[in-house]
Structure formats: C-alpha cells, structure tokens
Amino acid sequence: MLQVAFIREHKVDVIKRLAKRNIDATQMIEDVIDLDEDRRALQTQLDNTLAESNSISKEIGNLFKSGKAAEANLLKAKTIQLKEDSKTLGDQLNEKAEALTNLLYKIPNVPHESVPSGNSEEDNEEIYSEGEIPKLIEGALPHWELAKKYDIIDFELGNKITGAGFPVYKGKGARLQRALISYFLDKNIEAGYTEYQLPHLVNEASCYGTGQLPDKEGQMYHDSRDDLYLIPTAEVPGTNVFRDVLLAESDLPIGITGYTPCFRREAGSYGAHVRGLNRLHQFDKVEIIRVEHPDHSYKAFDGMVEHVKGILRELKLPYRILRLCGGDTGFPSAMTYDFEVFSTAQDRWLEISSVSNFESYQANRLRLRYKNSNGKNELAHTLNGSSLALPRVLAGILENYQTEDGIQIPDVLIPYTGFDKI
C-alpha cells in the first residue's frame, strides 16, 4: 500500500497519477490525511497521558519512601483515572489506525510517470515486436482441434473430472508441458535466480501482502474451513518469503524462481477467445521474483524484460510487448509490460507474460525492509514476471509449429521432450 508520508507530501501528484487509472481519488486521499491527523492527535494525547501517569507513579513511590502515605494515597486516585483515560485513548487510537489501514488497502498503487492514461486493453501501447509470423499449411487448425486430433489434451475429460477450465494433458502433451516447465526453470536459474518449491495454499496475510486482497477476493478459490487460499500465481507465496524481513543492503538484489500450478475463478465468458487453453481455472506457470534496492529497480525491470525476450527468441515464437495503460495496470503495480505471442491459427495475440515493478507498494504491506548504509531502515522494491505462463505458450507452439504430418517441437525443447514431433 502507499505510505501515508508519501501521500501527505505528494497529495496533488498522487491524485493526478491515480487519475490515469480512471479513479477520482480526491476524497479517499483527503480521508487518509484526516484519519492520519486524528491518529497523530490521539497518539500525542496517549503519550502525554502515559507520561503523566509514569511521573505520578514515581512521585507516589518517593512519597511512600518519605513516609508521606496520605499524600501518596491521594495521588493514587489520579493514577487510576489516568489509566482509564489511557485505555480509552488506546482503544480510540487502534480504531483510527485500523480505519486508516483499511482505507489504504483500497487505494491502488500510483502508476509510473511513463504509464499512459487509458480505460482498457485497447489503450495499451505496443512498444516492441519481434519474429516473423509463420505461413501455415492450408487447413491449419486451432490448438484445441490439434489437441483432439493428436490426443494430447483432453478438455472433455477435464470437464468430467472437475469442470470447464481444468484440462487433462496426455502422452506427448503432458511431456511437452513438463519439458516447458523444466526449460523455463533452467533458463531462470542460468540467469541467477534461485529455485524455490512453494506452497500452493496461502493464508490471508500472504494475500494482503502482495495485494490480491482485498482487490481480487472474488477471483480466488478459498477454503473457509482453514481460511486458506489457492494461489492465483507463484508471486503470492514467493514474495511472501520476504514478509517481515529486514535485509542488509549488501543482501540486495535477490532473485528467486518457482514453478506452481495457478488457480483462478476468472473464466466465465464464452467464444473462441476463451476456448481451449486461452483461459483456464487451473494452469501452470513459472515465475521470477526480485527484491531490489529502490535506486536499481527499473534497471532490474529492464533486465527481466530482456530475459523473457531471450526465452521467446529461443522458442522462435513471434511476440510483441505492450506497456499497459493505467486502466489495465494491476492494482499493486506501478508499471507492467505484457508479452503476447501471435497465434497464427487463431489470428490473434495471446498474453503469455506480465513483468511488473511494484516499487515499494508490496514491501510496505509486507514490511520488507533493508538497512541502508546510514543504518536507517528503508522499504525495498519488489518485482515479478511470468517466465513463462504455459497454456498460451503451448497453444502458440501447437499452432505455429503445425505441419501436414504433425507438430514440430522447437529445437531448444527437444533435449527436454526426448522427441522432435507430435
């Protein structure tokens, strides 16, 4: 969440930048400042009351030592009143602090200055593209028909076992899926990321820590009995590795990577754009996460973008990069680049990665800090990116690599699959 001090010092700029998200935050920002002033006033009253109580307690002790019990007993009545006052003030202070925190949770991150204004994905800016769109054979098929033709993904079986959005990968389809996971992890490890195997269920504090709650509560699967959430992305458990951590400045930067299944309740529309692997309730993804010094986070962001570019170059898939507009940027993100691969058989772009810089927004929720060279505790910056999300990468491979007699496997994946064609 945003820091109150930042809001107070940059009120006009915060309101202006949140307007890029199509949010009129004026009243919320004013409410934050008012609540903070009330909180500060109560804190001052409480501090003064406690100080007075402590001072009188010492005086009572001295009076008893001096044999002035009557005077000491008279002062005792005052300390009782001060203790009642301090309890009342403490309760009021906690109420104000809770109200302030709950309001801050509802305010998204301010977009970076370079983020364009806009309402939806239609207003995103294409900033880079690479790769030639292949010319497919006559009668080329979309991936859901290829999956059925070669018996590698069974959508109907998944629907029987669980429901729509839970495909079953079979035979070479399962092996290709596993090959992609191993390849992505190996590329990330080669780039200096440390591999983690992470929980697939997280507690409420973890969801608040990365900004999924309260923003995306309706999109997450929740087990009410144990109050645990199925993860929508490895970002949640991975970033929470660093919750309540105080790092040394020399510890930075830190990079971790991990593979997890991801669970989202977001499907729910119909048509070709959500058929097959285009939108799922359960899917696999390999994530990269960075903890950075604030001075270096945008250089790290550029490095993450180049890393994902390198993987797509090796897969030889045509792709483009979009800088998301304010209206399409995720709640906790200051800036996000989306990678999209071109699906030739569907004649459309499919999102396969997002790389985001959250600046100090998540770190403030997580209480993730480092001790700077002056010995002062500062909030770190967090970043993450998909490297990569599998379903649409797999869809792009199946469609763009199809031939008359099968589906070629990208050269870089053959050592992982053990076969060169489906």
Side-chain angles (χ1 to χ4, degrees), residues 223-242:
D223 172 27
S224 58
R225 180 174 179 178
D226 295 315
D227 197 20
L228 296 174
Y229 293 82
L230 281 167
I231 60 170
T233 165
E235 170 199 343
V236 181
T239 310
N240 273 277
V241 166
F242 306 100

Side-chain angles (χ1 to χ4, degrees), residues 133-267:
I133 296 173
K135 294 182 179 179
L136 297 185
I137 58 172
E138 186 176 347
L141 301 173
H143 70 270
W144 54 86
E145 293 186 22
L146 291 168
K148 186 172 184 178
K149 177 179 179 180
Y150 294 106
D151 195 25
I152 54 175
I153 307 172
D154 197 324
F155 296 99
E156 294 178 2
L157 181 57
N159 191 39
K160 182 184 81 169
I161 295 170
T162 307
F166 296 88
V168 174
Y169 299 85
K170 302 164 60 177
K172 287 187 174 181
R175 292 169 65 186
L176 178 55
Q177 181 88 338
R178 178 159 50 89
L180 281 165
I181 293 168
S182 296
Y183 166 65
F184 292 154
L185 285 171
D186 284 351
K187 291 297 292 183
N188 297 343
I189 292 166
E190 288 171 13
Y193 293 89
T194 300
E195 183 179 0
Y196 277 57
Q197 288 190 351
L198 298 160
H200 302 162
L201 287 159
V202 292
N203 55 32
E204 185 179 70
S206 292
C207 295
Y208 271 98
T210 47
Q212 273 65 38
L213 291 179
D215 178 54
K216 298 195 181 306
E217 185 171 9
Q219 296 183 21
M220 300 173 69
Y221 287 98
H222 180 226
D223 172 27
S224 58
R225 180 174 179 178
D226 295 315
D227 197 20
L228 296 174
Y229 293 82
L230 281 167
I231 60 170
T233 165
E235 170 199 343
V236 181
T239 310
N240 273 277
V241 166
F242 306 100
R243 175 154 47 96
D244 296 319
V245 170
L246 176 61
L247 300 165
E249 191 168 14
S250 58
D251 293 331
L252 302 175
I254 299 172
I256 71 172
T257 185
Y259 151 71
T260 65
C262 304
F263 305 87
R264 300 182 185 178
R265 302 178 65 184
E266 63 183 353

